[in-house]
Amino acid sequence: MNHGHDLNRRDFLKISSLFLAGSAAISSQVGQALSSTNTAFAKDDREEVVHSFCEHCFWRCGIAAHVRNGKIYKITGSEHHPLSNGKLCPRGTGGIGQIYDPDRLAHPIIRERKGGKSSLRKASWDEAITYTAEKLYQIKEKYGPEAIAMLHHGYGYTFFKEMFKAFGVNKFAKPSYDFCCGPRLQGYTMTYGHGTGTPEGIDMMNSKYLLFFGTHYGENMHNTAVQEISEGIRRGLKIVVFDPRFSTLAGKAEKWLPIKPGTDIAMMQALMNVLISEELYDKKFVAENTVGFDELWAEIQHMTPEKAATITDIPADEIREIARTFASYAPAAAVHPGRRTQWYADGTQRVRAIAILNALTGNYKMPGGVVKYEKFKLPKPEAHPHPHFKKDVWSKYPFFVQTKPENSITSHEVVQQTLEKEVRAWFVYGVNVPETITLGRKTAIEAMQKLDFMVAVDTLPMEVTGYADIVLPECTYLERYDDLDGGRPYRTPFVSLRQPVVEPMFDSKPGNEIARMMAEKLELHGVFEDSVETYLDKRLNKVGSSLEEVKKTGVLVGEPTNLYRKPGEKLTFKTPSGKIELASAQLKSAGFDAVPKYIKHPEPPQGYYRILTGRKPMLTFGRTANNRFLNELPTARENEIWVNPRIAQKHALSHGEYVHLKNQAGIVSEFPIKVKVTERIREDSVYMVHGYGHYYKKLKWAYKKGASHNQLISKADIDQSTGAVGFQNNFVTFIKEA
């Protein structure tokens, strides 16, 4: 059996309980908090409500943390924050399980090598930071700053990024770009000249008809979107869901269409075909505001509903009916761009097809259609980059960045450059690499084995910390300040504050303090203010407020965005043509298809089934996997493998029994997974929730629970235009326990 994490040179080390918090230490720390003389937090019978924002997903909803006797006893949605409106999802309310997790990292840890063997030991912060600075300096001097890369996830990375920019490093990678937000951002930007935003720029609460392709609202939650969909339904919204699986959102839909996986573009082309051939599209809008109509029609004119039916398994009559109904409700109708958008190698063009479908209806900046949100006008902080800091994008993919880069390279390129010894050191913030990198667990571990040096900053002993040379324990989002969240557009622009609710427990520190300590050791003076409070106060002063003022509600809210265009308003778009690009000249000039083209994807081998993945509403992968409060929910304890009843019968599988999964390359899941026999999945596919099957024993509530999807990835399909990675051309069969 291939367990996928056998090691050679770099040992995977189990962090001893000496370095973890432990339940006794938890009690001790709470006791210390009660007796603390720091009057910044309530330590007696007084109750206090502290406003901040959540860390359990990228939505970053406003929270109200309720404190009694120096301990958080409840977390609710902030009524002041426009993304929460007084409501939270299960993950948000379960944040108490993260801060009071007995398995938390309690002290800095250093790996020592003697006589060819490795061991881990407790270290002081000064020793750990000094060692980190020395190693990074040595690698930079020997190989140059391009030999150092930072992998990050979560909002607290910003201070570390500023520190590294001052050090001359410019290889920053966010794994979620590769398979989630990257294709969506670039696809929309190449079509409209701007991204879709988070929350997405779809006026759902005022829409009459929405099409969704594989979007799992209600399971991946996204608080505000669920609220807006609910309000839309209350107002009469009709929903159509194209998905190989009957999702929670499909349960709210007027129609669920179990489309064949990998055929979305064919379906969208057929819908376009009907809109154009039956002259149902908005001719005036298209003529005035788009380019490339003739090229689009030349590509899609042959994708009739009849042809698409043979590809997608959706009847031609259904396709025609949906296209006609969609047009009848336009412009108060839209196709939602989705969240995780890279499934194969055509994610960018798939998102472009969605954007084009919307454009044909003339729904841009119209009630119920595609809208463009505005940002809160918060000036950017002063930067202190190294004099020789390179602003280059390191990615080889020509359309990796179409807007100002948050990152300069894809995470899978960091892995490849590490395997080739071009990258020698990783600084990993909040990324559980073996269970996150989309090239699969085996490749991720192989890359970590080749590193000269690796630092992991985290709150829990994830798999990645077992491979690190230095482990720096950051305190949780409920114990620290982070930078202001003011860079995201929304219908009500806002800037929100993350502030400590209680004092940091154990010997953990806020990321802003860790970054400041590293900057001083690297002699990068002046990068940070004397305190994070001073820095935040100066930023807020520029918009006529102050840290003291914003701490009261945790948010500043601006004037609502003017979402809709006025009659006769001339529209402009930040594209090369100044219009919506149905056909993209820049894609064509770079050797790619100007308009989205359907490409057939590989079929499963005989007896194998395509793996589809998703989330549960109480799970955000590494951030909640070990949350004992959320794991008390019966449906959260483990993932299941959804199997169609006819396939279950073929393999003699029973509902509730456990099996191992084997992929097309012979990789067998390390842990078994429970079978869920259900009509809610197509016969050619199986479905499992990502983020389970942890093999790190120190994660008491996550260890051996379910199977790891990442372990079963051995094939990756890369979009050559944007560098995004798809992994749904992986297939599995079943090995019965007996």
Side-chain angles (χ1 to χ4, degrees):
M1 181 181 295
N2 184 348
H3 287 177
H5 61 263
D6 297 329
L7 304 180
N8 41 59
R9 190 185 69 79
R10 177 182 290 269
D11 297 329
F12 170 80
L13 294 180
K14 301 170 183 176
I15 299 177
S16 164
S17 58
L18 173 66
F19 311 125
L20 302 178
S23 56
I26 285 278
S27 300
S28 173
Q29 283 280 294
V30 172
Q32 291 174 24
L34 295 176
S35 61
S36 171
T37 57
N38 186 338
T39 58
F41 304 99
K43 302 300 187 301
D44 50 30
D45 290 338
R46 287 179 297 146
E47 289 204 19
E48 182 182 15
V49 177
V50 182
H51 294 279
S52 187
F53 62 85
C54 188
E55 178 75 349
H56 280 165
C57 81
F58 52 82
W59 214 261
R60 302 195 291 275
C61 295
I63 61 171
H66 301 254
V67 183
R68 184 189 299 134
N69 292 330
K71 186 175 181 181
I72 304 169
Y73 72 91
K74 181 172 68 173
I75 298 175
T76 59
S78 170
E79 61 185 13
H80 305 288
H81 199 294
L83 294 190
S84 50
N85 300 308
K87 301 179 178 68
L88 274 187
C89 76
R91 296 177 305 219
T93 59
I96 298 172
Q98 182 176 356
I99 185 171
Y100 300 126
D101 191 327
D103 295 339
R104 274 184 62 174
L105 293 166
H107 311 281
I109 299 166
I110 287 181
R111 178 191 296 267
E112 287 189 332
R113 294 185 176 86
K114 293 180 180 178
K117 293 184 178 181
S118 293
S119 61
L120 296 174
R121 66 169 176 83
K122 178 181 175 181
S124 69
W125 273 101
D126 184 68
E127 181 185 17
I129 295 294
T130 300
Y131 182 56
T132 299
E134 287 175 351
K135 290 294 291 184
L136 291 175
Y137 183 82
Q138 290 168 5
I139 290 169
K140 177 187 171 185
E141 287 297 298
K142 187 173 182 179
Y143 302 106
E146 61 271 17
I148 301 170
M150 178 177 171
L151 295 166
H152 64 87
H153 189 74
Y155 198 64
Y157 80 95
T158 54
F159 294 104
F160 292 105
K161 183 175 181 180
E162 287 306 306
M163 181 272 295
F164 273 121
K165 285 169 64 177
F167 192 50
V169 170
N170 183 27
K171 280 189 179 175
F172 305 106
K174 181 171 68 172
S176 59
Y177 169 92
D178 292 19
F179 57 89
C180 182
C181 55
R184 198 183 65 149
L185 169 64
Q186 314 303 45
Y188 248 71
T189 301
M190 283 189 278
T191 310
Y192 284 97
H194 62 80
T196 60
T198 298
E200 292 77 26
I202 302 292
D203 189 22
M204 293 190 291
M205 68 172 67
N206 294 307
S207 188
K208 302 299 181 185
Y209 200 72
L210 286 178
L211 306 183
F212 291 89
F213 285 82
T215 300
H216 295 162
Y217 281 140
E219 294 167 341
N220 57 13
M221 287 311 296
H222 304 153
N223 186 3
T224 321
V226 172
Q227 292 186 44
E228 291 187 0
I229 291 172
S230 299
E231 177 60 20
I233 291 172
R234 189 187 70 80
R235 298 180 184 184
L237 168 65
K238 295 180 180 179
I239 293 173
V240 173
V241 171
F242 294 92
D243 200 318
R245 180 182 69 94
F246 188 83
S247 62
T248 296
L249 184 61
K252 308 296 181 185
E254 182 183 51
K255 285 182 181 290
W256 167 53
L257 299 160
I259 190 170
K260 184 176 181 179
T263 66
D264 286 4
I265 291 179
M267 173 58 67
M268 295 177 203
Q269 285 187 337
L271 294 172
M272 295 178 205
N273 181 290
V274 175
L275 292 177
I276 295 174
S277 64
E278 297 187 9
E279 298 189 352
L280 300 175
Y281 68 101
D282 189 329
K283 294 181 182 178
K284 185 174 185 295
F285 180 87
V286 169
E288 293 178 354
N289 297 288
T290 73
V291 295
F293 180 82
D294 291 340
E295 286 180 78
L296 175 68
W297 177 241
E299 176 62 37
I300 69 169
Q301 62 180 317
H302 304 296
M303 188 59 78
T304 63
E306 286 72 22
K307 181 176 180 180
T310 66
I311 296 171
T312 65
D313 289 348
I314 305 301
D317 289 346
E318 286 276 19
I319 298 173
R320 279 197 172 84
E321 180 187 343
I322 291 165
R324 291 166 180 168
T325 307
F326 183 52
S328 71
Y329 282 108
V335 188
H336 196 280
R339 290 301 311 181
R340 200 197 101 206
T341 52
Q342 183 71 10
W343 300 337
Y344 306 95
D346 56 6
T348 306
Q349 289 286 28
R350 179 182 165 279
V351 172
R352 276 196 18 86
I354 290 173
I356 291 167
L357 253 178
N358 281 317
L360 291 176
T361 67
N363 68 3
Y364 188 76
K365 294 186 72 174
M366 294 294 285
V370 173
V371 290
K372 185 180 179 184
Y373 297 142
E374 292 180 2
K375 297 180 181 179
F376 191 98
K377 291 179 173 56
L378 178 72
K380 291 187 176 181
E382 182 182 357
H384 301 85
H386 189 276
H388 303 298
F389 174 74
K390 295 181 179 180
K391 294 183 179 180
D392 302 344
V393 172
W394 294 92
S395 177
K396 67 180 181 182
Y397 299 100
F399 297 100
F400 167 66
V401 173
Q402 288 292 296
T403 56
K404 293 180 181 179
E406 178 181 317
N407 307 285
S408 58
I409 191 170
T410 68
S411 60
H412 70 84
E413 286 177 288
V414 170
V415 170
Q416 294 293 351
Q417 291 183 13
T418 304
L419 293 172
E420 295 162 4
K421 300 296 283 185
E422 182 179 339
V423 168
R424 298 277 179 155
W426 288 3
F427 188 93
V428 183
Y429 179 86
V431 178
N432 191 19
V433 173
E435 298 304 294
T436 303
I437 297 298
T438 49
L439 299 181
R441 181 196 286 178
K442 182 179 179 181
T443 304
I445 292 175
E446 185 181 343
M448 288 191 293
Q449 291 174 338
K450 289 186 176 292
L451 287 167
D452 294 351
F453 185 63
M454 183 170 79
V455 182
V457 179
D458 220 314
T459 60
L460 284 167
M462 296 293 179
E463 279 83 0
V464 66
T465 60
Y467 302 101
D469 297 288
I470 296 283
V471 179
L472 303 177
E474 185 182 35
C475 58
T476 70
Y477 70 100
L478 295 165
E479 304 162 285
R480 68 176 192 252
Y481 284 109
D482 278 334
D483 209 341
L484 299 171
D485 183 14
R488 290 185 294 153
Y490 186 49
R491 64 171 65 238
T492 307
F494 65 90
V495 54
S496 58
L497 171 71
R498 174 171 287 154
Q499 61 178 318
V501 178
V502 293
E503 294 172 340
M505 297 173 68
F506 316 109
D507 199 12
S508 64
K509 289 185 180 295
N512 63 77
E513 186 176 341
I514 301 171
R516 185 181 296 106
M517 292 167 66
M518 289 183 63
E520 291 303 312
K521 288 291 183 182
L522 291 167
E523 298 187 349
L524 305 173
H525 307 300
V527 175
F528 299 110
E529 298 284 354
D530 293 338
S531 71
V532 68
E533 291 92 340
T534 301
Y535 164 77
L536 294 171
D537 192 52
K538 284 186 175 181
R539 289 201 71 188
L540 290 168
N541 289 165
K542 292 180 179 179
V543 292
S545 186
S546 67
L547 177 60
E548 195 61 34
E549 181 66 26
V550 178
K551 285 173 70 173
K552 297 174 184 177
T553 61
V555 67
L556 280 177
V557 180
E559 292 298 318
T561 300
N562 185 10
L563 295 178
Y564 311 128
R565 68 179 191 256
K566 299 174 183 177
E569 178 185 344
K570 181 176 175 58
L571 298 174
T572 58
F573 302 88
K574 293 182 179 179
T575 58
S577 66
K579 297 187 176 185
I580 298 173
E581 305 210 341
L582 308 180
S584 170
Q586 56 182 333
L587 278 171
K588 187 175 183 179
S589 65
F592 300 101
D593 295 325
V595 297
K597 179 179 292 187
Y598 166 67
I599 299 171
K600 183 177 173 60
H601 297 293
E603 297 288 338
Q606 185 67 32
Y608 284 75
Y609 308 92
R610 191 181 306 274
I611 315 175
L612 308 179
T613 62
R615 288 183 173 179
K616 292 185 178 183
M618 67 293 292
L619 176 75
T620 318
F621 312 147
R623 298 195 190 283
T624 57
N626 204 60
N627 191 310
R628 66 195 192 282
F629 299 138
L630 293 176
N631 276 317
E632 288 176 355
L633 300 169
T635 57
R637 290 171 186 160
E638 60 185 332
N639 56 358
E640 301 169 309
I641 188 75
W642 291 29
V643 183
N644 184 278
R646 286 164 290 286
I647 301 305
Q649 184 178 27
K650 177 180 176 181
H651 291 269
L653 303 177
S654 301
H655 183 78
E657 78 167 296
Y658 285 85
V659 297
H660 283 82
L661 302 175
K662 182 175 76 171
N663 83 346
Q664 74 281 353
I667 296 176
V668 177
S669 63
E670 181 170 5
F671 306 124
I673 186 170
K674 184 189 289 186
V675 173
K676 177 175 181 174
V677 180
T678 176
E679 291 280 4
R680 292 169 61 182
I681 186 79
R682 285 175 54 100
E683 293 184 30
D684 55 5
S685 305
V686 293
Y687 170 82
M688 64 190 295
V689 173
H690 182 91
Y692 285 87
H694 288 272
Y695 60 86
Y696 205 7
K697 291 182 179 180
K698 292 302 174 183
L699 295 170
K700 295 186 184 72
W701 282 270
Y703 177 58
K704 295 178 67 172
K705 299 292 178 63
S708 165
H709 166 242
N710 217 53
Q711 187 198 355
L712 296 166
I713 296 173
S714 59
K715 177 176 171 52
D717 299 289
I718 299 176
D719 186 328
Q720 295 300 311
S721 65
T722 61
V725 182
F727 45 76
Q728 282 190 195
N729 280 328
N730 285 276
F731 311 99
V732 294
T733 191
F734 316 100
I735 299 177
K736 291 175 71 70
E737 285 282 85

